[in-house]
Amino acid sequence: MNDKQPLDEWLKELMQQDDPQLRMTDKQARIVAAAAEIFASKGFAAASTSEIAQRAGVAEGTIFRHYRTKKDLLLSIVAPVMSRIVAPFVMRDFGRVFEDRYDSFDQFLRAVIDNRILFLKKNMSILKIFVQEVPFHPDLQEQFQKVVLKQVLARMTVIVDRFREDGMLIDLPSTTIIRLAVSTMIGYVIVRALYGEKEGADWDDEQERQATIDFIMRGLAVPSP
């Protein structure tokens, strides 16, 4: 495979799995790596199995011996990655954020943003695949909700509950506070990843990051007396 870009961290982990259900042959590994790169750069609909085969250095028929359809190939990347790689991989790294003690909610927000930016720098292709494909595939949405959102929501609720009980956040349900905060942060992260990092982009990252945190806090913090 003529891959000039380093593999994302999640893809390295997928390739190195000891689990027999996830273990791949060399050809499968090349196919998945090529498909992940092409799906990320062109989108699922525009990607062709012939291009994936060429990038992987295999015959197109080899793809269909392992995966019945192009959709099966997409699912073979996203479903196991989400359930067995991304969820534990995300939570292993993200868990450090939840374990720390924060004096204010805005400190927690900055820690979350800093952590996710570092994660996405190492795993950009899977972000692009998720952003481009999850909204159009209900089966992927269900996987994402079950294996990622459920864990993140549970951990964040504990922290938000504490700040609410301490009178530092307005009296809204914790799930509502999390939804408002996370949707704003995701907007910043996606725009930064897809636009802000491009050469020549008019983007002051520290300013945008602080503006995102300030915007959230203006809506959720209890006003000073």
Side-chain angles (χ1 to χ4, degrees):
M1 182 177 60
N2 297 322
D3 186 6
K4 296 180 181 179
Q5 299 297 323
L7 291 177
D8 279 4
E9 295 280 334
W10 69 267
L11 193 49
K12 288 180 184 177
E13 292 216 2
L14 185 59
M15 302 285 182
Q16 296 167 359
Q17 281 295 302
D18 293 327
D19 186 338
Q21 294 183 346
L22 285 177
R23 195 176 300 142
M24 298 181 186
T25 66
D26 178 64
K27 284 185 179 180
Q28 279 180 296
R30 299 207 311 269
I31 291 168
V32 167
E37 182 181 338
I38 292 171
F39 287 157
S41 63
K42 301 182 70 171
F44 174 75
S48 69
T49 51
S50 60
E51 184 178 9
I52 292 169
Q54 183 178 10
R55 183 73 59 89
V58 301
E60 188 173 8
T62 302
I63 292 178
F64 293 110
R65 282 200 295 273
H66 292 289
Y67 310 99
R68 291 180 303 170
T69 65
K70 187 173 69 169
K71 177 68 176 290
D72 285 341
L73 180 54
L74 173 67
L75 292 176
S76 77
I77 296 170
V78 178
V81 163
M82 193 137 44
S83 63
R84 301 188 186 188
I85 301 296
V86 170
F89 188 40
V90 166
M91 295 311 298
R92 182 182 67 218
D93 183 47
F94 208 8
R96 301 186 186 106
V97 174
F98 297 126
E99 289 165 5
D100 288 342
R101 182 84 177 179
Y102 302 95
D103 295 327
S104 63
F105 191 59
D106 59 307
Q107 286 183 1
F108 170 67
L109 294 177
R110 177 168 284 276
V112 170
I113 290 176
D114 290 348
N115 179 278
R116 293 301 82 190
I117 290 298
L118 182 60
F119 176 83
L120 291 173
K121 281 182 177 180
K122 300 177 181 179
N123 299 277
M124 187 56 67
S125 68
I126 199 66
L127 168 68
K128 291 180 179 178
I129 292 172
F130 279 18
V131 169
Q132 292 167 174
E133 307 306 335
V134 168
F136 304 105
H137 298 282
D139 41 0
L140 298 185
Q141 293 172 26
E142 184 179 359
Q143 281 274 335
F144 185 69
Q145 186 172 15
K146 282 182 180 179
V147 303
V148 178
L149 289 185
K150 187 176 180 180
Q151 294 188 57
V152 172
L153 182 61
R155 301 290 292 273
M156 288 192 75
T157 298
V158 173
I159 293 175
V160 170
D161 283 348
R162 178 172 68 83
F163 283 115
R164 284 178 63 246
E165 291 167 3
D166 290 346
M168 300 174 70
L169 295 175
I170 59 176
D171 189 19
L172 285 175
S174 292
T175 52
T176 300
I177 291 174
I178 292 169
R179 177 180 58 79
L180 293 171
V182 168
S183 61
T184 304
M185 289 190 290
I186 288 176
Y188 155 76
V189 169
I190 290 176
V191 173
R192 181 191 189 281
L194 301 182
Y195 169 75
E197 293 189 344
K198 289 186 176 180
E199 187 175 350
D202 182 16
W203 183 270
D204 183 330
D205 192 57
E206 180 53 37
Q207 178 178 310
E208 294 292 338
R209 195 172 302 198
Q210 189 60 51
T212 300
I213 294 170
D214 291 345
F215 178 80
I216 295 170
M217 294 306 299
R218 279 196 295 270
L220 297 180
V222 173
S224 300

